[in-house]
């Protein structure tokens, strides 16, 4: 079997002849696939601006998988679609990893229905809770159980997979518990949910704003009313000015303090990530909501001051990103 | 006499009926076979045609093959994924084929028939059915952290090699088992010892079967995303590993083994899950290229088999 292997080696080697050399300076980023499009966009432009001196690599191990690597000191920064959890804080502490918690962008979780659905004009958080809470399993099966006046039609639920940060945030914001009912159509691929809701008049589902905006002809977004306030439709503006609540959420970048102290190129990368000059445009381009300008400034200041720790104590919802940045971390 | 003649005629008629019935069964089985084959080919063809039609605008754009990933779907390319996949498959083939063939030969030719061999036997068959993510977790613990190999092309090649070892071992054993006993007896009769018999007669005769198993195994490995993500393959990477060949002595360079990388299925998976429809076009085009790479690999194996046969004859 010797000759075929040699032959294969030669063939593969020939196929990849001219290749540029690896760059010396490397920024290693991993983490959530929700944050990935933003980091990819920033990395692409940052590499251009650095003229090849610095290279950025981005993985998609997921928020949890990303924190596992980050807290072992394997990555310089990690993306997260939810705040760091207590056990991850403990793991980082155990390994002596200090981190700077920074907002990367905003996302508006959008509740969507089929365009042919003519009975829903808005929904309250309580109505959503009635639909999704664990007690609803096997009992809430019809639209007329949600509100008087809704038609006698079956209720069909579509949602993010239970492993995702999107699911965690929705459940926390709407139900205030750790889990929802189990009898809904779940998918890790939001495009599957788009197809599901777009092809069923009785369907209702939720996912990130970008998936709604790319499929506006096929879906209708539901305005949400929280704590008796007027219903608010999800949009870039209402997420940015924190009026679309409680489903607006920041997504995060956690930066290793040691990397920031020892590697100037990691700091340059994060400064680029948070610059009002580049970030808002890049974030918008990939379908997310940029932070308010003031939040970018506050985040820059936090990075410069190397303020470590998290401002979250357990999960919180409905807090504006500026308010979060103004807090003193533990 | 007359009675005898009648009996002969009667048995002749019975014989003819039997032949006709058997022929009917033959024709029926052949048609079922052709039907199944056609359904399978039609499925593959429709998937391929659908992907080609969707991905066409990207497939005909040379930038797609030379650009790195990008946030702009019309500028995004697959160069890093293609190179990553090619290098990982190279490691996988170099590691898995010799190991698996050696294991297959040992189990078939040398292993004593006892309980230990039985256990190994059962384990090999079971391993072929273990989900690939399990191999990824094993590799993360053993290769990445245990041996400190890191999140490199070498680690990815090794984990995929582990993944397809059972497939090639089973194929090797089947191929060896199908060699007629007479061939061995003839070799022994001429005074060849066991190893001479195996290396000069059994292995060359078993080569087509082994190569087929290798193709099946590598075709499985090239499409795997889960174990490769688990060991830390990247998604965005805008540089290539150092080339394995260089113009200065010693002409080969093994630095690429320790390079970070991405592979085609990860790139495909990432683009499929994006909200923008333009990225779905890229994903389709990536699917076509992945299929072409698989076909090229098969083509290479068939070519090698052809070359070996020619050598054998001369």
């Amino acid at each position: 079997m010797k000759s075929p292997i040699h032959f294969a080696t030669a063939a593969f080697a020939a196929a990849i002849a001219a290749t540029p050399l690896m760059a010396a300076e490397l920024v290693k980023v991993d983490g959530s696939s929700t944050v990935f499009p933003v980091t990819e966009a920033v990395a692409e432009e940052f590499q251009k601006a650095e003229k090849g001196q610095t290279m950025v690599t981005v993985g998609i191990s997921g928020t949890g998988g990303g924190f596992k690597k980050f807290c072992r000191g394997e990555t310089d920064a990690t993306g997260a679609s939810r705040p760091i959890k207590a056990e991850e804080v403990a793991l980082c502490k155990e390994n002596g990893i200090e981190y700077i918690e920074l907002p990367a962008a905003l996302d508006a979780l959008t509740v969507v229905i089929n365009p042919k659905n003519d009975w829903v004009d808005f929904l309250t958080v309580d109505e959503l809770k009635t639909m999704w809470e664990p007690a609803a399993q096997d009992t809430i099966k019809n639209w007329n159980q949600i509100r008087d006046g809704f038609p006698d039609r079956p209720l069909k639920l579509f949602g993010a997979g239970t492993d995702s940060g999107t699911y965690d945030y929705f459940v926390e914001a709407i139900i205030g518990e750790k889990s929802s009912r189990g009898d809904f159509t779940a998918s890790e691929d939001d495009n599957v949910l788009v197809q599901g809701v777009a092809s069923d008049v009785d369907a209702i589902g939720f996912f990130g704003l970008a998936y709604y905006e790319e499929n506006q002809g096929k879906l209708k977004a539901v305005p949400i009313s929280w704590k008796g306030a007027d219903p608010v439709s999800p949009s870039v503006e209402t997420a940015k000015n924190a009026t679309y609540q409680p489903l607006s959420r920041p997504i995060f970048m956690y930066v290793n303090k040691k990397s920031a102290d020892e590697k100037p190129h990691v700091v340059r990368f994060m400064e680029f990530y948070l610059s009002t000059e580049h970030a808002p445009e890049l974030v918008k381009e990939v379908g997310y909501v940029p932070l308010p300008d003031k939040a970018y400034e506050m985040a820059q200041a936090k990075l410069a001051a190397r303020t470590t720790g998290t401002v979250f104590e357990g999960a919180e919802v409905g807090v504006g990103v500026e308010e979060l940045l103004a807090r003193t971390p533990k | 006499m007359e009675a005898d003649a009648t009996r002969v005629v009667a048995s002749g008629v019975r014989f003819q009926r039997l032949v006709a019935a058997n022929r009917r069964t033959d024709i029926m089985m052949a048609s079922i076979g052709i039907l199944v084959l056609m359904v399978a080919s039609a499925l593959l063809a429709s998937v391929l045609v659908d992907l080609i039609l969707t991905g066409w605008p990207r497939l005909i754009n040379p930038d797609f093959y030379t650009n790195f990933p990008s946030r702009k779907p019309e500028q995004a390319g697959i160069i890093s994924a293609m190179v990553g996949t090619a290098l990982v498959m190279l490691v996988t083939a170099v590691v898995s084929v010799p190991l698996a063939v050696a294991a297959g030969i040992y189990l078939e030719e040398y292993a004593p028939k006892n309980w230990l061999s039985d256990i190994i036997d059962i384990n090999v068959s079971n391993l072929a059915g273990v989900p690939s993510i399990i191999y990824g977790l094993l590799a993360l613990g053993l290769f990445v952290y245990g041996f400190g190999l890191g999140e490199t092309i070498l680690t990815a090649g090794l984990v995929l090699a582990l993944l397809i070892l059972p497939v090639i071992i089973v194929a090797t054993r089947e191929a060896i088992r199908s060699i007629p006993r007479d061939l061995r007896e003839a070799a022994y009769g001429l005074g060849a010892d066991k190893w001479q018999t195996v290396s000069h007669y059994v292995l060359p005769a078993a080569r087509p079967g082994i190569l087929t198993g290798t193709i099946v195994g590598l075709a499985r490995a090239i499409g795997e995303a889960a174990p490769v993500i688990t060991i830390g393959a990247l998604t965005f990477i805008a540089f290539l590993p150092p080339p394995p060949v260089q113009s200065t002595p010693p002409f080969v360079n093994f630095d690429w083994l320790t390079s970070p990388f991405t592979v085609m299925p990860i790139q495909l998976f990432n683009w499929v899950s994006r909200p923008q429809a333009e990225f779905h076009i890229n994903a389709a085009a990536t699917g076509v290229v992945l299929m072409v790479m698989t076909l090229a690999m098969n083509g290479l194996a068939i070519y090698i088999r052809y070359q070996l046969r020619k050598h054998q004859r001369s």
Side-chain angles (χ1 to χ4, degrees):
Chain A
M1 293 309 289
K2 219 174 169 190
S3 54
I5 291 164
H6 282 192
F7 188 87
T9 313
F12 274 121
I16 47 163
T19 44
L21 281 175
M22 222 187 343
E25 311 273 38
L26 198 63
V27 182
K28 282 181 82 178
V29 185
D30 205 323
S32 166
S33 55
T34 307
V35 189
F36 175 81
V38 182
T39 311
E40 181 189 46
V42 174
E44 192 185 349
E45 285 308 309
F46 176 70
Q47 287 185 165
K48 269 186 212 154
E50 294 270 309
K51 298 192 174 62
Q53 267 184 43
T54 310
M55 288 295 172
V56 184
T57 62
V58 193
I60 44 166
S61 302
T63 301
F67 272 126
K68 272 198 194 103
K69 289 184 182 171
F70 181 77
C71 292
R72 296 175 75 117
E74 290 170 14
T75 48
D76 297 313
T78 194
S81 60
R82 53 156 175 81
I84 190 167
K85 283 182 181 169
E87 57 263 36
E88 289 154 355
V89 171
L91 182 64
C92 272
K93 201 168 179 185
E94 206 175 286
N95 295 322
I97 304 291
E98 289 184 288
Y99 53 87
I100 309 163
E101 183 180 68
L102 299 165
L106 298 174
D107 190 15
L109 287 190
T110 306
V111 177
V112 292
I113 51 174
N114 191 282
K116 290 202 186 106
N117 177 327
D118 54 5
W119 58 90
V120 173
D121 42 0
F122 74 94
L123 286 168
T124 68
V125 171
D126 286 337
E127 284 165 344
L128 283 172
K129 185 177 175 183
T130 313
M131 265 181 220
W132 285 95
E133 66 188 346
Q137 180 138 358
D138 298 328
T139 55
I140 307 294
K141 289 168 157 177
N142 201 300
W143 277 98
N144 63 17
Q145 289 170 287
I146 306 300
R147 190 192 293 173
D148 289 339
F150 278 177
D152 176 18
R153 298 187 71 105
L155 176 69
K156 293 178 187 161
L157 299 166
F158 292 81
T162 52
D163 289 336
S164 65
T166 307
Y167 173 86
D168 284 346
Y169 190 87
F170 183 84
V171 168
E172 197 70 50
I174 298 299
I175 310 171
E177 288 174 40
K178 289 269 173 270
S179 61
S180 71
R181 65 194 294 174
D183 53 347
F184 68 97
T185 307
S187 174
E188 298 295 340
D189 184 350
D190 291 333
N191 289 312
V192 173
L193 302 176
V194 169
Q195 290 307 323
V197 178
S199 58
D200 191 338
V201 188
D202 302 316
I204 182 164
F206 66 88
F207 36 70
L209 183 64
Y211 291 88
Y212 163 68
E213 294 206 312
E214 288 293 327
N215 296 285
Q216 288 198 23
K218 295 189 240 169
L219 303 166
K220 201 156 84 178
V222 181
I224 305 292
S225 161
W226 191 38
K227 292 182 176 166
D230 284 341
V232 179
S233 294
S235 72
V236 171
E237 283 69 38
T238 56
K240 211 166 161 180
N241 64 22
T243 52
Y244 180 68
Q245 294 290 16
L247 292 175
S248 291
R249 56 161 180 172
I251 52 178
F252 303 93
M253 282 289 277
Y254 285 80
V255 182
N256 187 328
K257 180 170 176 285
K258 197 165 159 236
S259 294
D261 285 339
E262 290 171 4
K263 299 177 186 167
H265 51 276
V266 171
V267 177
R268 286 205 302 277
F269 175 65
M270 282 318 296
E271 280 170 358
F272 200 96
Y273 209 123
L274 297 168
S275 75
T276 44
E277 191 187 336
H278 310 286
E281 202 182 315
L282 293 173
V283 167
K284 236 183 276 170
E285 229 184 295
V286 295
Y288 287 84
V289 182
L291 305 173
D293 281 359
K294 185 146 175 274
Y296 279 115
E297 279 164 34
M298 292 166 85
Q300 288 274 13
K302 192 174 178 182
L303 175 65
R306 306 276 194 273
T307 313
T308 58
T310 176
V311 298
F312 291 91
E313 268 182 85
E316 277 183 89
V317 295
V319 187
V321 64
E322 283 152 355
E323 192 188 328
L324 289 172
L325 280 163
R327 284 187 194 168
T328 317
K330 297 176 289 166
Chain B
M1 282 292 277
E2 247 172 58
D4 275 358
T6 326
R7 219 178 297 138
V8 169
V9 170
S11 79
V13 169
R14 224 180 298 140
F15 178 71
Q16 269 168 0
R17 252 188 230 139
L18 195 68
V19 167
N22 280 352
R23 202 168 284 156
R24 268 201 302 279
T25 322
D26 270 356
I27 291 171
M28 214 168 71
M29 286 313 290
S31 355
I32 291 175
I34 289 172
L35 194 75
V36 169
L37 201 68
M38 269 165 53
V39 168
S41 321
L43 274 176
L44 179 69
S46 63
V47 167
L48 196 59
V49 166
D50 182 49
L51 285 179
I52 290 175
L53 287 180
T54 316
W56 188 249
R58 297 302 289 149
L59 283 170
I60 52 168
N61 188 339
D63 285 351
F64 184 63
Y65 306 98
T66 53
N67 279 12
F68 288 107
S70 165
R71 70 180 184 285
K72 294 199 173 80
E74 67 281 359
Q75 284 176 17
I78 53 170
I79 179 79
S80 45
M82 274 195 321
V83 171
T85 287
L87 290 175
V88 169
M89 293 315 292
L90 174 62
V91 176
T92 303
V94 168
V95 172
S96 67
V97 173
L99 263 182
V101 171
I105 292 172
Y106 172 78
L107 288 173
E108 209 48 47
E109 297 283 339
Y110 290 93
K113 298 274 169 263
N114 59 20
W115 59 272
L116 188 66
S117 304
D118 285 346
I119 288 178
I120 295 175
D121 208 18
I122 292 167
N123 266 313
V124 168
S125 312
N126 274 346
L127 277 177
V130 170
S132 57
I133 185 89
I134 307 289
Y135 286 92
L137 292 171
L138 167 80
L140 182 69
L142 192 68
F143 297 147
V144 178
Y145 295 137
F147 298 163
L149 296 179
E151 295 139 350
T152 57
I153 289 177
L154 179 63
T155 310
L158 288 177
V159 62
L160 292 180
L162 280 190
L163 180 72
I164 64 171
L165 266 182
V167 179
I168 309 181
I169 292 178
V170 170
T172 304
R173 296 185 64 181
E174 290 298 332
I176 292 176
R177 222 175 287 163
S178 69
I179 309 298
R181 224 183 145 70
D182 312 2
L183 193 80
R184 268 175 252 252
E185 303 287 346
Y188 289 136
L190 290 172
D193 62 23
K194 188 145 197 167
W195 173 241
Q196 284 168 330
T197 310
V198 169
S199 61
H200 285 81
Y201 298 97
V202 176
L203 260 191
R207 241 178 223 153
I210 295 172
L211 267 169
T212 307
T214 307
I215 293 172
V216 172
L218 289 178
R220 180 179 171 193
I222 202 174
E224 281 291 344
V228 192
I229 287 187
T230 312
I231 58 128
L234 298 159
T235 307
F236 176 81
I237 174 165
F239 56 88
L240 296 178
V245 281
Q246 57 190 33
S247 49
T248 50
F251 301 112
V252 282
N253 183 336
F254 288 104
D255 287 349
W256 56 273
L257 282 173
T258 55
S259 174
F261 68 102
T262 187
V263 290
M264 301 279 282
I266 297 180
Q267 190 63 72
L268 202 159
F269 166 73
N270 175 254
W271 278 336
V272 162
S273 63
R274 290 299 190 88
Q276 293 87 357
E278 293 85 352
F279 276 120
H280 304 163
I281 296 173
N282 284 5
T286 311
V288 175
V289 177
L290 191 58
M291 275 201 191
V292 169
M293 284 176 94
T294 312
L295 288 178
M297 220 160 57
N298 293 358
L300 188 71
I302 290 167
Y303 178 76
I304 292 169
R305 192 160 68 193
Y306 172 73
Q307 288 295 324
L308 289 174
R309 283 222 185 107
K310 254 192 355 198
H311 276 286
Q312 244 166 284
R313 276 194 209 113
S314 56

